[in-house]
Amino acid sequence: MMKTTVSLAVLAALLTGCGTMAPDYQRPASPAPTSVSGPAYQAGNGNAKQFGDTVWRDYFSDAKLQQLIALALDNNRDLRVAALNIEKARAQYQIQRADLFPTINATGSGTSKRTPASLSGTGQPEISHSYSAGLGFASYELDFFGRVRSLKDAALEQYLATSEARDCTQISLIAEVANAYLTLGADNERLKLAKDTLTSQQSSFGLTQRSFELGVASELDLRQAQTSVESARVDVARYTGLVAQDENALTLLVGTTVPADAMPTAEVDTVTAVEDVPSDIPSEVLQRRPDIQQAEHLLKSANANIGAARAAFFPSITLTAAAGSASARLSDLFKAGAGAWSFMPQVTLPIFDGGRNMANLDMAKADEKIAVAQYEKSIQSAFREVADALATRGTIDDQLKAQQALVDATNRSYTLSDARYRKGVDSYLNVLDAQRSLYSAQQNLITIRLARQANLVTLYKVFGGGWQQGQPEAAPAKAG
């Protein structure tokens, strides 16, 4: 009897068709160009594919930054949630996949019934017993038209999309840690500059105060020198607070206490030894970015849902079967002749549903069109991100050289203005203007240096840096 039920289950599974009614999937053509041109872009000297293949340990050469990224990958809570979402999506896929097979349950039951004399027909009360045991399955759908398989395929693509989302989170996390590290280093340098400026201005204020006491300098000169001191004192306090906030932001990203020896003590000179920048943007490089892969999996899921919606127009065949034994006495339950079985097929043919199935199909088609648009938008956004990063890369060195020249010029101007004031040729106002110009130029130089290093981080991110290392596990095997 048990063999009979198992045979029915195997037969039912074999009767299930392997095809679906989903449209044949065709990847939409890329709506973005594959190259950039213009005065902002330099001729590249690298290969985009190789650039995107570089894993983070090979790309980021700073030892302290490597330590922080490794800690973040182990402890960051956003990345942990993204990994758990993969487990959740995998379980949802397995649940949907289980509908391809009958659920076989072992059952056992016993019933005792007393019939009063007035209803027994014999004039005497009667007590009856019945016992049964068996194996069976209920409401198993024979998937002739691929409805269940389409839903399973849709769930699989959702799982794969979640996996790609986790990779997106990892790449973004690595970039955020690198940028937070660079920002902390830059603010440390700004703080040092503010402290050095304060020390210099306090010394200058002391000289001016002595000159005022000797009657050489006016009170206006004295108060102007004092404004420089107080302005520098304000910046010291401001950057002290910013450094503390930067440390807090870095701690949040890392997800644990940041070791003191991993903190940058000054601006980071370089985060990577990679200097080759690609001159083109091949479509295959963009298409393998995790965010674009995620959008494509969601498109495939929407495509599979169309198959499920189409299958709803066709008959649905479900089976319920059981085999076992039944007896009026528990002791006779497994004796010869106690065998019992039941088999109940059911066919449901949709005739009138008020347009529900057609509306579901229209909705599935609309979802697929939305997914196409979102996939194309993700490619366009990726192209813009890469083009923006390359534009910055093509112009940032010129900005850096010009800003360095400006710092040198303003430094010379400040030196001359101060000398002229000490000799009584110029007023202290000229010295103050020159000092403010120098301080501003030095601050902007730090900002541009930070922008150059941040651009290298952005290039890693927009090319899907180290995309192959983020794969958490192989996708579940597809069922027949």
Side-chain angles (χ1 to χ4, degrees), residues 279-423:
S279 57
D280 57 357
I281 312 175
S283 58
E284 62 268 20
V285 173
L286 292 183
Q287 287 170 346
R288 75 183 186 185
R289 277 183 29 155
D291 57 333
I292 295 178
Q293 288 285 327
Q294 179 187 5
E296 185 171 12
H297 285 305
L298 293 176
L299 171 57
K300 291 179 179 178
S301 178
N303 191 74
N305 280 330
I306 293 177
R310 285 176 173 175
F313 286 88
F314 294 86
S316 172
I317 303 174
T318 57
L319 301 179
T320 298
S325 59
S327 173
R329 293 183 180 181
L330 184 60
S331 59
D332 297 336
L333 184 59
F334 297 106
K335 290 184 177 180
W341 59 268
S342 66
F343 178 68
M344 185 177 67
Q346 179 177 334
V347 179
T348 303
L349 176 65
I351 296 177
F352 176 76
D353 60 4
R356 183 189 304 274
N357 285 340
M358 182 58 70
N360 283 333
L361 178 58
D362 290 342
M363 183 172 66
K365 289 181 177 180
D367 285 341
E368 192 264 349
K369 291 178 181 178
I370 292 172
V372 169
Q374 290 173 335
Y375 171 73
E376 293 174 340
K377 176 64 179 298
S378 67
I379 293 179
Q380 291 173 335
S381 297
F383 176 83
R384 185 213 168 161
E385 290 175 359
V386 173
D388 285 351
L390 292 179
T392 300
R393 177 64 177 173
T395 57
I396 194 67
D397 286 340
D398 290 340
Q399 293 182 51
L400 190 58
K401 291 177 182 177
Q403 190 65 35
Q404 183 64 62
L406 179 60
V407 169
D408 294 340
T410 52
N411 184 48
R412 180 60 178 164
S413 175
Y414 171 69
T415 302
L416 292 174
S417 296
D418 186 65
R420 287 172 63 85
Y421 168 72
R422 299 303 169 192
K423 292 180 179 180

Side-chain angles (χ1 to χ4, degrees), residues 462-476:
V462 298
F463 277 101
W467 62 274
Q468 72 278 15
Q469 71 170 354
Q471 305 300 323
E473 59 180 308

